Amino acid sequence: EPEVTQTPSHQVTQMGQEVILRCVPISNHLYFYWYRQILGQKVEFLVSFYNNEISEKSEIFDDQFSVERPDGSNFTLKIRSTKLEDSAMYFCASSDGGLIFSGNTIYFGEGSWLTVV
Amino acid sequence: RKEVEQDPGPFNVPEGATVAFNCTYSNSASQSFFWYRQDCRKEPKLLMSVYSSGNEDGRFTAQLNRASQYISLLIRDSKLSDSATYLCVVTLLPSQGAQKLVFGQGTRLTINP
């Protein structure tokens, strides 16, 4: 089965440092996403990306966050100056089409645990 | 009001029991509906889509009531391996671009031997 891969699986960083989380979406997918889940809380949408630009972003995705597709395979999430409250699991996901329904599944990566100390 | 609201749980049931989860969503424009399963510190995994006509996949039955904005999941003959958090998920059609998934808080289920 195709899979979305994420690196690193776990990162500890000091408050104020920049962090880049990397993702390799499924090769023929066109839509890419980042979600996050703070420990004990629900999974929350951060941003969607299509055709080399942000498609939609949530209120969480402020100026400290950015996404990039630097080459044909990677999709990155950058947090410029991390805060304690950025500690969470960050999930990358991809899909073939923009409409999510039973015939068009969204695939999640295994996540990157970010701990800000 | 929360966009997607689920039974808080946790549910602790013996192996072989039948367990039911409920979920309500606030946005009547929600497009698609799903149940996901999430194991501890793992990614959400699609369990099944939910249709108005009701659908079944083995021991799992899902139902959608659009008029009441209510979604349910029934697990029959529960197995130890069913222990997980079950996430109710809906999609909204954005003004442009891709749909996003809106997750409920999740209901934790533990099946006891």
Side-chain angles (χ1 to χ4, degrees), chain A residues 2 7 14 22 31 54 64 66 68-69 77 84 100 110:
Chain A
T7 54
Q14 287 200 323
R22 292 181 168 79
Y31 294 82
I54 289 175
Q64 292 299 310
S66 62
E68 194 178 32
R69 188 155 162 83
L77 174 69
L84 295 177
I100 309 300
E110 292 189 342

Side-chain angles (χ1 to χ4, degrees), chain B residues 45-99:
Chain B
K45 290 187 177 175
L46 179 64
L47 181 66
M48 60 195 301
S49 303
V50 189
Y51 307 113
S52 297
S53 53
N55 49 301
E56 191 173 303
D57 183 1
R59 298 181 292 107
F60 299 84
T61 301
Q63 191 76 48
L64 165 67
N65 184 321
R66 281 191 183 267
S68 304
Q69 296 179 202
Y70 171 90
I71 306 164
S72 65
L73 176 69
L74 186 76
I75 306 175
R76 289 181 302 277
D77 187 24
S78 52
K79 312 288 184 197
L80 295 176
S81 57
D82 294 333
S83 296
T85 297
Y86 288 82
L87 310 175
C88 179
V89 181
V90 308
T91 64
L92 297 172
L93 189 63
S95 56
Q96 61 177 6
Q99 283 185 320

Side-chain angles (χ1 to χ4, degrees), chain B residues 34-50:
Chain B
F34 307 93
W35 284 101
Y36 274 72
R37 170 198 168 121
Q38 187 176 30
D39 293 295
C40 189
R41 300 200 175 194
K42 297 287 188 181
E43 75 275 24
K45 290 187 177 175
L46 179 64
L47 181 66
M48 60 195 301
S49 303
V50 189

